[in-house]
Amino acid sequence: MSSHISEPFDARHLDIARFAAVQGALASAAALTDFPRLADDVAAQTIAADAPVMIDWQAQGLMRRDIGLGDGIARVALHLSARARLPLVCQRCLQPVWTEVAVDRHFLFAQDETQAAQLDEHAQDDVLVLSRRFDLHGLIEDELLLALPLAPRHDHCPGAQPLPARDAGLDAAATDKRHPFVALAALRERRQPSEDGPDDL
């Protein structure tokens, strides 16, 4: 990733036109806690202070000619990539399932909402509106949220294991509990008169 930065840039208040003009580059390994909306979608019990979940991201500013527009004009553009391994909630067992989530997107920028709507009809890249205080951090979070699977699941849920062998005495007790009239039936059979009738006196 090339860069000709001669000034600092702030990902939360980014002059996107200037960033593209100097082919600026930003990169960070940020904690998941810096992305509160994304953090709401993970299994919170797996987030430990001593081993935080990290979001790795890179952003490159450039002037880009969108092939779909076909006018040959170089416009303010941004290449964004982000990657994280997130502990989502399995929709089968409700336990954490570690899931790789990745984003690799290009964006073009227009002067205003009207121009953005016009360009968006033909551009291959998504079109956003230029800002001198563009929230790149918010865009990263938006894109990661869109990249989350709709129904994360384990290939094999950890809870789907054979039950351990049970004690025979416990099994017998459970059987008696399930069939409370077994002993009564046996008693009735012992007290039932024989087919030959009562003994003669």
Side-chain angles (χ1 to χ4, degrees), residues 60-76:
Q60 171 76 60
L62 64 160
M63 304 300 293
R64 180 180 173 90
R65 292 175 175 83
D66 189 286
I67 298 175
L69 295 174
D71 55 12
I73 298 175
R75 294 179 171 85
V76 172

Side-chain angles (χ1 to χ4, degrees), residues 171-185:
D171 284 339
T175 300
D176 288 343
K177 187 175 181 179
R178 288 194 300 268
H179 304 286
F181 300 110
V182 170
L184 178 60

Side-chain angles (χ1 to χ4, degrees), residues 43 45-46 87-98 152-154 157-159:
Q45 69 270 26
T46 64
L88 305 181
V89 179
C90 174
Q91 298 304 296
R92 278 197 294 254
C93 69
L94 302 182
Q95 296 301 308
V97 50
W98 287 91
R153 293 186 178 93
H154 291 102
C157 290

Side-chain angles (χ1 to χ4, degrees), residues 133-182:
R133 297 175 63 84
F134 182 74
D135 187 3
L136 175 60
H137 188 273
L139 178 64
I140 294 166
E141 188 169 29
D142 288 343
E143 292 301 315
L144 285 170
L145 284 166
L146 290 172
L148 293 178
L150 292 177
R153 293 186 178 93
H154 291 102
D155 292 333
H156 302 285
C157 290
Q161 300 293 332
L163 294 175
R166 293 162 50 119
D167 181 79
L170 292 176
D171 284 339
T175 300
D176 288 343
K177 187 175 181 179
R178 288 194 300 268
H179 304 286
F181 300 110
V182 170

Side-chain angles (χ1 to χ4, degrees), residues 2-159:
S2 62
S3 174
H4 302 286
I5 295 179
S6 58
E7 57 196 84
F9 288 100
D10 182 352
R12 295 180 185 270
H13 306 287
L14 184 62
D15 184 342
I16 192 69
R18 180 64 183 165
F19 188 64
V22 299
Q23 298 181 47
L26 288 171
S28 178
L32 176 61
T33 52
D34 289 341
F35 301 87
R37 291 179 292 137
L38 186 62
D40 284 344
D41 280 346
V42 308
Q45 69 270 26
T46 64
I47 303 177
D50 58 343
V53 177
M54 304 301 291
I55 310 294
D56 294 314
W57 62 266
Q58 300 84 37
Q60 171 76 60
L62 64 160
M63 304 300 293
R64 180 180 173 90
R65 292 175 175 83
D66 189 286
I67 298 175
L69 295 174
D71 55 12
I73 298 175
R75 294 179 171 85
V76 172
L78 176 75
H79 179 208
L80 174 65
S81 60
R83 182 176 299 275
R85 187 169 182 265
L86 301 176
L88 305 181
V89 179
C90 174
Q91 298 304 296
R92 278 197 294 254
C93 69
L94 302 182
Q95 296 301 308
V97 50
W98 287 91
T99 306
E100 295 287 344
V101 180
V103 170
D104 192 341
R105 302 287 301 277
H106 283 88
F107 300 90
L108 289 181
F109 287 83
Q111 293 293 332
D112 52 40
E113 293 285 355
T114 300
Q115 187 183 59
Q118 294 172 346
L119 294 178
D120 196 45
E121 293 182 2
H122 305 287
Q124 293 183 335
D125 300 327
D126 286 345
V127 181
L128 303 175
V129 177
L130 275 171
S131 171
R132 297 188 64 181
R133 297 175 63 84
F134 182 74
D135 187 3
L136 175 60
H137 188 273
L139 178 64
I140 294 166
E141 188 169 29
D142 288 343
E143 292 301 315
L144 285 170
L145 284 166
L146 290 172
L148 293 178
L150 292 177
R153 293 186 178 93
H154 291 102
D155 292 333
H156 302 285
C157 290

